[in-house]
Amino acid sequence: MLPHRIVRTLLFAGAAGLLASAAQARDVAADKRAIDAGLDRGYAHLDALYKDIHQHPELALQETRTAAILAKEMKALGFEVTERFGGTGIVAIYKNGAGPLVLVRTELDALPMEEKTGLPYASHVVADYRGKPTPADHSCGHDIHMAAWIGTAQQLVAMKSQWKGTLMFIGQPAEETTEGARAMIAAGLFERFGKPDYGFALHVESQAAGTVTYRPGANSSASDSLEITFHGRGAHGSTPELSIDPVIEAARFTMDVQTVVSREKDAAAFGVITVGSIQSGSAGNIIPDTAVLRGTIRSFDPAVREKLLEGIRRTANAVAAMSAAPPPEVKLEVGGRAVVNDAALTARIDPVFKAAFGDKAIHQPEPGRPSEDYSEFVIAGMPHSLFFAIGGYDPKTIAAAEARGERVPGNHNPYFAPAPEPAIRTGVEAMTLAVLNVMGS
């Protein structure tokens, strides 16, 4: 008798093969021609929508204008739209006979950072972030996602004679703070609208436009956030001997905690601790009494994650002890958990993407390092799910950067500037083809 592990592997491989064969039931080339024809007629509207959203970014849980724009678009297409769900989220439902329930998600929020692209439609918005006026920018690409989301809905409605079932289009707030998906689930998303049979989401990246990348299994990292308040004793800058300097504590922690990554973790296992913010003091000649440090922790493996979290706690307390300071306040919060793509669904969509995009349909060899709270929908009971990436840059722009020995700006960079038309078109093509495959009649 074969071991159970081998039997499970063979059964799984067989199921994946059957699903992959099912992918050939549709004429992908014909579907793509129909989608492209629809985009030729309607792309100008998507471009204007994208640029409007890009110019008016809204931060997490503040996305009222953005949500209202998307809700209006979906209502015009015939979707039943529920607004302010889980905060500023929207749920748009389109019923088209008996068939599977399919979720398609986009994010709504932008990042608290200044845009430096110089584009004619660049953001100059200043928003409230943690009580302070802060520039806002769609430097993660959620504006591309929203335009592709609307474009996909347009194409599916136009092609409704070719599929059956129910579409559940989710406009999710607060992805950047990893609050939005959990908020929508806690508000009863699946209880009220049904648990999806399939789910899809995409992300634009700094690859060549026209590419689609995907992989079975783990697709992104788990993320946790850290906030440490170091306490000291304030003094005049000329009398440091009278102080306990929390700035020194924060600086020492920032350096010392990296030895947890370089000396305690398996060197072959992915794990990152990044300090992105140290805030302390009000003037150069005053030693303050507190310093607040914020950062992020990324990992794939749960054991690595626990090692990093334990190392952060230990290092923070050791740094305070070295300075004869009071114990620090260490807050470690769970963020987005790793997105895991269903292997069978990935195998089913793989030939679709290959037929549509040829050698630009690329198997991603390793999980991506950024995190995504789309994982919360999967964990809540939507295992048949695929999260994939699309390229955002004109290949000529990438080639020019490489000729200079540089790389094009990536996500979360103030100069991140994907080319809208190829990126949005690719997103609409790929997402529409994937949904048609699981819903096609």
Side-chain angles (χ1 to χ4, degrees):
M1 181 178 291
L2 289 172
H4 290 301
R5 176 178 58 81
I6 295 176
V7 171
R8 286 196 303 270
T9 300
L10 291 173
L11 289 172
F12 181 78
L18 288 172
L19 285 172
S21 297
Q24 303 302 325
R26 295 193 63 87
D27 185 338
V28 175
D31 284 342
K32 189 170 183 291
R33 285 194 298 271
I35 296 164
D36 287 338
L39 282 167
D40 289 341
R41 293 188 296 271
Y43 178 76
H45 178 71
L46 295 179
D47 188 74
L49 177 70
Y50 161 75
K51 290 174 180 175
D52 180 32
I53 292 172
H54 185 92
Q55 283 186 301
H56 301 92
E58 294 176 301
L59 301 181
L61 302 177
Q62 301 175 30
E63 314 97 320
T64 53
R65 180 183 187 273
T66 305
I69 289 172
L70 297 193
K72 181 179 178 181
E73 292 283 334
M74 298 302 274
K75 288 175 183 176
L77 290 172
F79 282 75
E80 298 174 12
V81 180
T82 301
E83 300 181 66
R84 295 179 293 278
F85 192 87
T88 50
I90 65 172
V91 182
I93 301 293
Y94 193 97
K95 297 178 181 179
N96 190 33
L101 175 62
V102 179
L103 179 147
V104 180
R105 187 217 64 170
T106 189
E107 318 94 307
L108 306 178
D109 57 328
L111 283 161
M113 62 188 295
E114 181 182 2
E115 179 172 358
K116 299 180 181 180
T117 63
L119 291 167
Y121 52 88
S123 166
H124 301 288
V125 167
V126 175
D128 177 79
Y129 181 66
R130 292 179 175 171
K132 296 181 179 180
T134 305
D137 177 20
H138 269 300
S139 52
C140 195
H142 294 178
D143 46 358
I144 292 282
H145 306 173
M146 285 183 263
W149 187 81
I150 292 292
T152 298
Q154 290 173 341
Q155 299 310 310
L156 288 170
V157 170
M159 302 173 73
K160 64 182 180 180
S161 64
Q162 300 187 43
W163 58 270
K164 296 294 182 184
T166 300
L167 300 172
M168 179 193 291
F169 272 56
I170 302 295
Q172 179 210 309
E175 187 277 330
E176 295 295 349
T177 59
T178 68
E179 300 172 86
R182 281 196 287 265
M184 295 189 84
I185 291 165
L189 176 67
F190 292 164
E191 291 80 5
R192 180 169 174 181
F193 300 102
K195 188 167 290 186
D197 299 293
Y198 301 97
F200 296 98
L202 61 77
H203 207 293
V204 66
E205 297 182 354
S206 55
Q207 302 169 356
T211 57
V212 180
T213 59
Y214 49 97
R215 73 186 312 274
N219 187 72
S220 68
S221 71
S223 74
D224 298 279
S225 64
L226 67 96
E227 180 178 296
I228 303 174
T229 302
F230 289 103
H231 298 284
R233 183 168 60 237
H236 194 284
S238 66
T239 56
E241 72 277 8
L242 302 179
S243 75
I244 296 176
D245 193 339
V247 177
I248 296 296
E249 294 180 70
R252 182 176 288 143
F253 171 86
T254 301
M255 298 301 294
D256 288 355
V257 78
Q258 296 307 321
T259 63
V260 177
V261 176
S262 66
R263 292 296 180 268
E264 298 184 32
K265 174 189 67 61
D266 180 353
F270 172 69
V272 171
I273 301 172
T274 298
V275 174
S277 171
I278 299 177
Q279 297 177 332
S280 185
S282 58
N285 62 348
I286 302 171
I287 296 174
D289 57 7
T290 60
V292 179
L293 177 150
R294 296 184 178 92
T296 186
I297 309 111
R298 306 296 172 114
S299 58
F300 295 146
D301 183 87
V304 171
R305 174 179 176 271
E306 284 303 318
K307 184 175 287 294
L308 297 180
L309 296 179
E310 190 278 328
I312 288 168
R313 297 185 189 96
R314 176 165 37 85
T315 303
N317 282 284
V319 160
M322 288 174 66
S323 297
E329 299 170 37
V330 181
K331 298 179 182 178
L332 300 173
E333 296 185 358
V334 175
R337 291 179 278 185
V339 175
V340 179
N341 283 334
D342 177 38
L345 181 58
T346 307
R348 175 172 180 166
I349 301 301
D350 174 55
V352 175
F353 285 168
K354 281 187 167 58
F357 304 106
D359 61 4
K360 292 183 179 180
I362 302 168
H363 276 265
Q364 184 179 325
E366 296 179 352
R369 294 186 177 186
S371 63
E372 251 290 346
D373 73 344
Y374 175 75
S375 56
E376 297 299 327
F377 297 114
V378 180
I379 293 166
M382 189 183 66
H384 302 301
S385 175
L386 175 62
F387 187 100
F388 59 91
I390 57 172
Y393 275 92
D394 187 318
K396 292 179 181 178
T397 303
I398 295 176
E402 290 175 347
R404 299 191 301 269
E406 301 173 356
R407 298 177 65 179
V408 294
N411 306 72
H412 290 223
N413 184 303
Y415 296 96
F416 181 63
E421 182 163 4
I424 294 169
R425 277 183 172 267
T426 302
V428 174
E429 290 167 346
M431 187 63 79
T432 306
L433 288 169
V435 174
L436 283 173
N437 177 263
V438 298
M439 301 185 82
S441 56

